[in-house]
Amino acid sequence: MIKSIILLFFCLLLTSCDPIRNLNFINKTDSDVKIKINLNPEAKSYTSSVIKDKSNGDSIVFNLKQNNTIGIFFGVGVWSDPVIEEFANSVYNIEFDTKDVKTIYKTPESVKKLLKDNKHGFLHKHRVDIDIN
C-alpha cells in the first residue's frame, strides 16, 4: 500500500510540473551575430502576442555577442508540434547574420524544422536551443 502511494505521488509530481518554454539563441562563432525575427502582423495567436510584445514594430532584433546566449520566454508548457506550428505561422522568417554568412529560414516549414531539430528537455521538450556556428 505504501509503495503504491509513493509511486502515485511521484507520477503526479512528474506529470504536474509544467516546465518553462524558452527559445534560446547561442552564439558559437568568433564574432557578434545579428538575429532578426521578422513577424507576421496578421498572426493572432498566443505565440505571436508574446513575440510582438518584444518587438520594435515588425521585427525583433538581437545583437548577440561572441560566446553568449539570449532567449525568449514563452511561459509554461512544452514545444509540442502545434506550438511549433503556431510559432512558425507567427513569423515571416528568421535571419542569422554573422561576419561571414547570412542564413535565412524563409518559410514556415523551414522555421518548423529548425525548432523541431533543436528541441531539448529531459521529460518534456520545453527548450529550443539554436546554436549559431
Side-chain angles (χ1 to χ4, degrees):
M1 180 70 177
I2 295 284
K3 288 181 183 181
S4 298
I5 293 172
I6 292 172
L7 179 61
L8 177 64
F9 172 75
F10 279 109
C11 288
L12 289 174
L13 179 68
L14 292 175
T15 59
S16 66
C17 295
D18 288 333
I20 297 172
R21 186 172 52 222
N22 285 322
L23 172 59
N24 300 310
F25 299 99
I26 305 161
N27 183 355
K28 294 191 171 186
T29 70
D30 60 356
S31 66
D32 294 353
V33 174
K34 180 180 177 182
I35 301 166
K36 186 174 183 182
I37 303 172
N38 293 301
L39 307 178
N40 178 355
E42 297 175 9
K44 305 276 189 245
S45 64
Y46 165 73
T47 303
S48 64
S49 65
V50 169
I51 55 180
K52 284 178 185 174
D53 287 345
K54 299 182 182 329
S55 73
N56 292 326
D58 63 349
S59 65
I60 300 172
V61 178
F62 300 112
N63 291 305
L64 188 55
K65 300 288 183 192
Q66 175 183 358
N67 297 318
N68 215 336
T69 301
I70 196 157
I72 302 174
F73 167 70
F74 288 91
V76 295
V78 296
W79 285 101
S80 63
D81 288 347
V83 171
I84 288 174
E85 175 95 20
E86 180 182 303
F87 178 87
N89 291 326
S90 296
V91 300
Y92 278 131
N93 60 42
I94 299 176
E95 303 174 10
F96 303 122
D97 195 359
T98 69
K99 71 176 183 175
D100 297 318
V101 177
K102 184 173 188 173
T103 305
I104 303 174
Y105 294 87
K106 298 194 287 187
T107 65
E109 291 77 26
S110 64
V111 172
K112 283 184 237 177
K113 182 169 177 17
L114 176 67
L115 271 62
K116 285 182 179 183
D117 289 350
N118 291 287
K119 289 192 305 184
H120 300 283
F122 179 64
L123 293 175
H124 305 287
K125 303 298 184 187
H126 65 278
R127 213 174 68 241
V128 173
D129 293 334
I130 298 174
D131 293 339
I132 303 165
N133 298 309

